[in-house]
Amino acid sequence: MKTSYLVTLDEEADPQLHSFLVSQGAEPESRFGEWRVPTGSRGSVKEELHRTGVGFRLRYEFSAESTDHVDELAAYLGIDILTMSRITSSHPVLAKAPEGDSLIANTTMVDLLEPVTSDLEWQRHDETIDDLWSLTLASELPEPIHTPHAFATVQGGNGLWMVLDDGRSIITDSGLSHLRVYGIAWTTRKLVQGRVLAHPAIPVFGGRVLDIIDKQHVELAFAPLYLPHEQSSVAPW
């Protein structure tokens, strides 16, 4: 799995710092002040930022490579809100309900998922629309996702937490094994610096499901957010 380093500066880079970042192969991202730093340049960039006193925040981003085995992959997906164009689409559709976070798929998508998933229950999403199904039952990952560092943790009135992490959402061995069997599972807990925090349910997708979504060009809001395995080596910043 490939690791990318995204640095968000607290202030706009002056011409000298801008030139230095470019010379190190860093590329500006669409988000203001954010730079994608090559793995080989992270040491020199970190040193220069400390030298100049420019504050920054670091995020990790992971992407699958051709050498990664499909059964060793897991990811969150950028699932967008259901729209009328998707309701009428003949292509596989995976979306969220406008009135909540229910996972919705059309019949084409449900049929594609059937061979690589287990113990999912789908019910008709809308009695007036034959082709849309809402996921009403899925298993839960046996262990929390591990997060080595969080920028913020905020507890809501319902007792659940929102965790803003640095991109390192690490899945355990048992979590990967679970996804090999079930394909899609909910995660409802994060281990953050020794504390287990309950959060709203988030679907996690196993490698064989991700492979279908990629090959079928299922529309997503953004690229999959891959979860590194606890045995994988993530080079520190």
Side-chain angles (χ1 to χ4, degrees):
M1 189 173 291
K2 179 183 177 182
T3 305
S4 297
Y5 303 87
L6 297 166
V7 173
T8 302
L9 305 180
D10 291 346
E11 58 193 77
E12 187 175 1
D14 63 27
Q16 184 175 355
L17 179 57
H18 188 282
S19 296
F20 174 81
L21 290 170
V22 171
S23 74
Q24 297 299 304
E27 299 178 347
E29 294 288 293
S30 56
R31 185 181 301 180
F32 177 79
E34 187 170 71
W35 291 78
R36 185 176 295 271
V37 178
T39 300
S41 299
R42 65 188 189 277
S44 57
V45 169
K46 180 180 180 180
E47 182 179 327
E48 180 67 11
L49 291 174
H50 285 310
R51 186 190 69 80
T52 58
V54 175
F56 65 93
R57 188 168 72 176
L58 171 69
R59 288 194 305 114
Y60 294 78
E61 187 178 272
F62 303 94
S63 54
E65 298 184 287
S66 58
T67 53
D68 291 320
H69 192 281
V70 67
D71 284 331
E72 299 299 317
L73 297 176
Y76 301 131
L77 290 181
I79 300 171
D80 218 341
I81 299 296
L82 183 68
T83 60
M84 182 56 67
S85 63
R86 292 186 177 190
I87 290 174
T88 58
S89 175
S90 59
H91 299 290
V93 170
L94 195 62
K96 288 191 298 187
E99 66 277 7
D101 290 329
S102 299
L103 198 62
I104 297 171
N106 62 1
T107 302
T108 304
M109 186 79 252
V110 171
D111 289 345
L112 287 167
L113 291 174
E114 197 277 332
V116 295
T117 57
S118 299
D119 291 358
L120 301 184
E121 288 188 11
W122 302 86
Q123 292 183 1
R124 185 162 291 172
H125 175 66
D126 188 324
E127 291 300 327
T128 65
I129 304 173
D130 292 337
D131 196 40
L132 287 182
W133 303 88
S134 181
L135 182 63
T136 56
L137 183 66
S139 61
E140 186 174 332
L141 289 183
E143 293 184 298
I145 298 296
H146 295 188
T147 297
H149 176 71
F151 298 120
T153 56
V154 180
Q155 190 173 27
N158 58 1
L160 299 180
W161 291 81
M162 181 187 73
V163 179
L164 179 62
D165 62 39
D166 66 358
R168 290 178 294 173
S169 292
I170 299 171
I171 191 166
T172 64
D173 285 335
S174 64
L176 270 183
S177 297
H178 190 88
L179 288 174
R180 291 185 194 114
V181 175
Y182 297 99
I184 301 173
W186 299 106
T187 180
T188 60
R189 298 168 296 155
K190 273 200 171 183
L191 179 63
V192 183
Q193 297 169 337
R195 293 194 302 162
V196 176
L197 303 180
H199 58 74
I202 302 171
V204 182
F205 299 82
R208 295 190 182 277
V209 174
L210 296 171
D211 187 52
I212 287 173
I213 287 171
D214 178 58
K215 289 178 178 177
Q216 295 294 325
H217 306 290
V218 175
E219 184 180 352
L220 299 173
F222 50 83
L225 300 176
Y226 284 91
L227 281 60
H229 178 236
E230 64 178 342
Q231 302 299 334
S232 62
S233 175
V234 178
W237 171 253

